[in-house]
């Protein structure tokens, strides 16, 4: 198995299949690493007893798959939103703990919106929540990657630098960045040394007020060679998760994206 | 040769302007549009886009147009740099021999008036040369003077960017594999001087220090829990693992438990264990202690360590031992041979660390420690 194959991961949630079928499909498509959403369905921490964890690990191993990352909360309220934020935080903490038990190296999540100076109280709650995540991340030896969604790379860099926790980093979501008007081809300028994992999606270019839309890999504004070069400059050497959240034929699109991106991982 | 780079005149110049002009951004967008258009839809009256070399000529014309409209403005080098980078990646992905690109890069290196573009071309030649070296005579022969000259050229332009660190890292990895201390030290000094503030600069410097230390005596001054200084000479005769941990952190706790369980004692002792317990963050500790049995667990596991070989450090990441080697992940282990020489430095990257440490303990020869590292 080549290193490139190992580093190319697929988001099984995007296959929109029951978990076992999704894993079988991922394996059949040629992926060797998977990213699984852990906020709902079969891999929710509440469902995952020690026995269930062992069962999942064995199942993955039988399919020749490695669980490269889990995905924590990405939709709904922000970590800064009162009781809903508390709920989100507790969910994420339980996922980090489960990742530690299952030896999963990375858990990603999005902040759910970085409010800005306008709402100091919500920002304070959010910062407190991120610090808690940093503590848990360090304690369990699991890298926590905050997705570049709803927050500018500059703000994210400031947030992470302020906490000085080496296990807290970034999940660079190229599609989200494009759709929100941030340039993923310049990630090395703001996020070098901080990128734990990449969520590779293509999209049309948007802005904070007029979002772009996700498209199949190769059909949007993502300049793949430039993006890979920038990741290389940023010192990135983790998994690249192929993702496609709103396709009508996800298997074909993810397979195609994997074929497009695979050779670039060999070149880095 | 590389030493002359470091000890010559200062090599840091102003990095290329980070701000692309709108015109440059438009040109890049146009370039991307052209590259992704189906072939039948390309507006290419001059037939430049028949191949990548032609595509480059097309872009050159675009750049010339830009210069024509901004006569006195300096050429934005990022445009050409981005192009060259893309072309090389595209060529390698298509499996094409990048000979024409190399020829062109050579011409640019000799003739371009734009330092950043000249440097990018130099970087490409450098990388190609390194790949040739690795393919033909794997890591055994010194790099030629030319490569270091190209590196010098590159660093002239990109002194404080991640690309510069990436370039030096390639050289350092090669020097490490060749066990060439002089080049390795020169690379480390180069990065210290050119990229001290960049996020991946200090990490590289720390790794390089670790690699430089391999094969040399490892005996930092450390005060033990028993009160005196750690007696390194008393550790000779068997391999020693100096394990840096924070036992309130699960990976540290598990690794220490495992190593304590298998180190053995008396005549059957496989290796000796020195444990350096580091309190990484007071705030962080408060949070973890609330969780329940952590403190008791901590006390229990550390009570199993010989107090003459237990060191407690309280300044977290600011401890000199950690800053010197840029240790930003725990646990980390220094494996010493029976003569007290550093055999390998093992940083935590996944849960196979115990196997790596055992491998280092059991290995007879000294191996270099600088290896490509994952993002901590």
């Amino acid at each position: 198995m080549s290193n490139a194959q190992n580093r190319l991961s697929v988001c099984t949630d995007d296959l929109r299949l029951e978990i076992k079928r999704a894993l079988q499909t991922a394996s059949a498509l040629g992926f060797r690493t998977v990213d699984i959403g852990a906020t709902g369905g079969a891999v929710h921490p509440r469902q995952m007893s020690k026995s269930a964890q062992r069962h999942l690990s064995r199942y993955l191993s039988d399919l020749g798959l490695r669980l490269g990352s889990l995905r924590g909360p990405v939709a709904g309220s922000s970590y800064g939103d009162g009781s809903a934020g508390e709920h989100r935080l507790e969910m994420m903490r339980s996922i980090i703990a489960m990742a530690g038990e299952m030896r999963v190296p990375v858990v990603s999540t999005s902040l759910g919106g970085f409010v800005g100076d306008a709402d100091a109280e919500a920002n304070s709650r959010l910062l407190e929540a991120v610090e808690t995540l940093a503590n848990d991340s360090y304690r369990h030896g699991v890298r926590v990657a905050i997705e570049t969604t709803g927050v500018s790379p500059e703000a994210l860099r400031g947030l992470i630098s302020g906490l000085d926790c080496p296990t807290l980093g970034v999940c660079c979501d190229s599609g989200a960045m494009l759709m929100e008007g941030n340039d993923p081809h310049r990630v090395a300028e703001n996020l070098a040394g901080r990128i734990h994992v990449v969520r590779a999606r293509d999209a049309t270019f948007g802005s904070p007020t007029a979002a772009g839309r996700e498209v199949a890999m190769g059909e949007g504004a993502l300049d793949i060679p430039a993006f890979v070069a920038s990741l290389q400059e940023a010192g990135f050497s983790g998994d690249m998760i192929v993702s496609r959240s709103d396709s009508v034929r996800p298997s074909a699109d993810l397979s195609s994206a994997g074929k497009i991106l695979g050779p670039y991982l060999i070149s880095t | 040769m590389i030493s002359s780079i470091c000890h010559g005149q200062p090599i840091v110049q102003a990095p290329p302007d980070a701000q692309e002009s709108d015109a440059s951004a438009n040109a890049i967008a146009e370039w991307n549009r052209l590259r992704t258009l189906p072939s039948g839809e390309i507006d290419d009256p001059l037939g430049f886009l028949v191949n990548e070399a032609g595509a480059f000529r097309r872009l050159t014309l675009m750049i010339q147009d830009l210069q024509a409209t901004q006569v006195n403005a300096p050429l934005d080098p990022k445009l050409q740099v981005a192009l060259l980078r893309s072309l090389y990646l595209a060529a390698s992905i298509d499996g094409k021999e990048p000979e024409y690109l190399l020829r062109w890069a050579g011409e640019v290196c000799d003739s371009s008036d734009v330092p950043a573009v000249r440097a990018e071309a130099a970087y490409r030649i450098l990388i190609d040369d390194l790949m040739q070296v690795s393919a033909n005579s794997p890591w055994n022969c010194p790099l030629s003077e030319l490569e270091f000259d190209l590196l010098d050229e590159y660093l002239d332009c990109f002194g404080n960017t991640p690309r510069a660190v990436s370039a030096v890292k390639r050289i350092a990895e090669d020097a490490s594999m060749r066990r060439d201390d002089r080049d390795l030290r020169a690379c480390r000094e180069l990065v210290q001087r050119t990229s001290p503030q960049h996020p991946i600069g200090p990490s590289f410097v720390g790794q390089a220090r670790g690699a430089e230390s391999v094969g040399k005596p490892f005996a930092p001054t450390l005060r033990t829990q028993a009160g005196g200084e750690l007696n390194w000479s008393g550790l000779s005769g068997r391999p020693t693992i100096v394990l840096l941990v924070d036992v309130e952190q699960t990976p540290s706790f598990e690794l220490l438990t495992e190593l304590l369980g298998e180190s053995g004692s008396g005549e059957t002792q496989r290796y000796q264990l020195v444990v350096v317990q580091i309190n990484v963050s007071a705030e962080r500790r408060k949070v973890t202690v609330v969780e329940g049995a952590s403190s008791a667990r901590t006390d229990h596991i550390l009570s199993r360590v010989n107090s003459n070989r237990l060191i407690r450090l309280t300044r977290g990441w600011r401890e000199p031992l950690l800053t010197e080697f840029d240790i930003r992940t725990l646990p980390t282990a220094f494996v010493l041979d029976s003569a007290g020489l550093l055999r390998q430095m093992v940083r935590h990257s996944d849960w196979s660390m115990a196997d790596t440490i055992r491998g280092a303990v059991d290995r007879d020869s000294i191996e270099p420690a600088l290896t490509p590292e994952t993002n901590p």
Side-chain angles (χ1 to χ4, degrees), chain B residues 13 32 57 273-274 335:
Chain B
Q13 293 181 2
N32 285 330
R57 287 196 293 276
L273 197 56
V274 172
V335 181

Side-chain angles (χ1 to χ4, degrees), chain B residues 270 343-344 354-364:
Chain B
R270 192 173 162 204
R343 186 174 282 177
Q344 189 172 341
D355 292 336
T356 310
I357 292 173
R358 283 187 206 102
V361 166
D362 294 337
R363 200 171 55 235
D364 291 324

Side-chain angles (χ1 to χ4, degrees), chain B residues 202-211 322 324-334 344-350 353 356-357 369-371 373:
Chain B
S203 161
F204 167 80
V205 170
Q207 284 183 61
R209 278 216 185 90
L322 275 65
E324 182 177 1
F325 296 100
D326 192 60
I327 295 171
R328 302 280 293 159
T329 53
L330 292 175
T332 288
F334 295 90
Q344 189 172 341
M345 182 177 169
V346 185
R347 295 173 192 259
H348 175 75
S349 59
D350 56 33
M353 190 176 172
T356 310
I357 292 173
L370 186 71
T371 52
E373 209 178 347

Side-chain angles (χ1 to χ4, degrees), chain A residues 130-152:
Chain A
V130 175
E131 184 160 10
T132 303
L133 296 182
N135 290 330
D136 282 9
S137 159
Y138 170 74
R139 182 183 172 214
H140 292 287
V142 173
R143 281 174 273 156
V144 166
I146 297 175
E147 297 185 4
T148 50
T149 308
V151 57
S152 72

Side-chain angles (χ1 to χ4, degrees), chain A residues 93 103 135 138-139 141 143 163-166 186 189 192-193 195-196 223 225 229 233 235-237 264 267, chain B residues 18 32 35 78 85 89 93 162-163 198-199 246 249-251 254 280 284 287-288 291 328 351 373-376:
Chain A
R93 293 187 72 186
R103 310 298 201 222
N135 290 330
Y138 170 74
R139 182 183 172 214
R143 281 174 273 156
L163 290 170
D164 190 30
C165 176
R186 299 174 69 166
E189 291 171 23
I195 304 173
H196 289 340
D223 180 345
E233 289 169 36
F236 171 70
S237 59
Y264 290 89
S267 73
Chain B
N32 285 330
R35 288 176 61 234
K78 284 211 164 191
R85 210 178 291 169
L89 280 167
I93 287 157
R163 304 209 76 208
H198 199 277
D246 177 354
Q249 181 215 30
T250 303
E254 291 186 357
V280 166
R284 200 150 287 148
V287 171
T288 53
E291 298 285 325
R328 302 280 293 159
W351 276 272
E373 209 178 347
T374 53
N375 278 340

Side-chain angles (χ1 to χ4, degrees), chain A residues 175-190:
Chain A
M177 291 179 80
L178 285 168
M179 286 187 273
E180 293 170 12
N182 295 312
D183 188 353
H185 310 103
R186 299 174 69 166
V187 287
E189 291 171 23
N190 284 309

Side-chain angles (χ1 to χ4, degrees), chain A residues 41-231:
Chain A
V43 191
H44 190 288
R46 265 204 309 269
Q47 313 288 333
M48 295 295 285
S49 62
K50 299 275 184 201
S51 164
Q53 289 178 15
R54 279 195 301 275
H55 180 74
L56 177 61
S57 297
R58 260 201 313 275
Y59 194 75
L60 286 162
S61 172
D62 289 347
L63 289 170
L65 294 172
R66 174 177 71 90
L67 182 50
S69 50
L70 291 172
R71 196 175 195 195
V74 288
S77 307
S78 156
Y79 283 106
D81 285 348
S83 61
E86 288 284 327
H87 178 71
R88 186 185 180 98
L89 178 62
E90 287 313 309
M91 164 77 79
M92 183 62 182
R93 293 187 72 186
S94 62
I95 293 170
I96 294 170
M98 181 174 78
E101 290 166 0
M102 293 185 70
R103 310 298 201 222
V104 182
V106 182
V107 177
S108 64
T109 183
S110 71
L111 295 176
F114 195 54
V115 188
D117 291 338
D119 189 343
E121 193 184 337
N123 265 351
S124 167
R125 279 197 299 269
L126 185 139
L127 289 173
E128 203 174 305
V130 175
E131 184 160 10
T132 303
L133 296 182
N135 290 330
D136 282 9
S137 159
Y138 170 74
R139 182 183 172 214
H140 292 287
V142 173
R143 281 174 273 156
V144 166
I146 297 175
E147 297 185 4
T148 50
T149 308
V151 57
S152 72
E154 293 84 356
L156 196 48
R157 177 182 62 178
L159 178 68
I160 290 171
S161 302
L163 290 170
D164 190 30
C165 176
T167 50
L168 182 70
V170 172
C171 169
C172 176
D173 184 336
S174 57
M177 291 179 80
L178 285 168
M179 286 187 273
E180 293 170 12
N182 295 312
D183 188 353
H185 310 103
R186 299 174 69 166
V187 287
E189 291 171 23
N190 284 309
L191 302 172
R194 296 286 190 183
I195 304 173
H196 289 340
V197 70
V198 166
R199 202 165 285 281
R201 294 194 288 163
D202 204 348
T204 60
F205 207 68
S207 70
T209 50
R213 63 186 173 82
E214 187 190 288
V215 295
M217 185 62 68
E219 294 177 8
L222 187 67
D223 180 345
I224 299 170
F227 180 52
V228 173
S230 190
L231 290 172

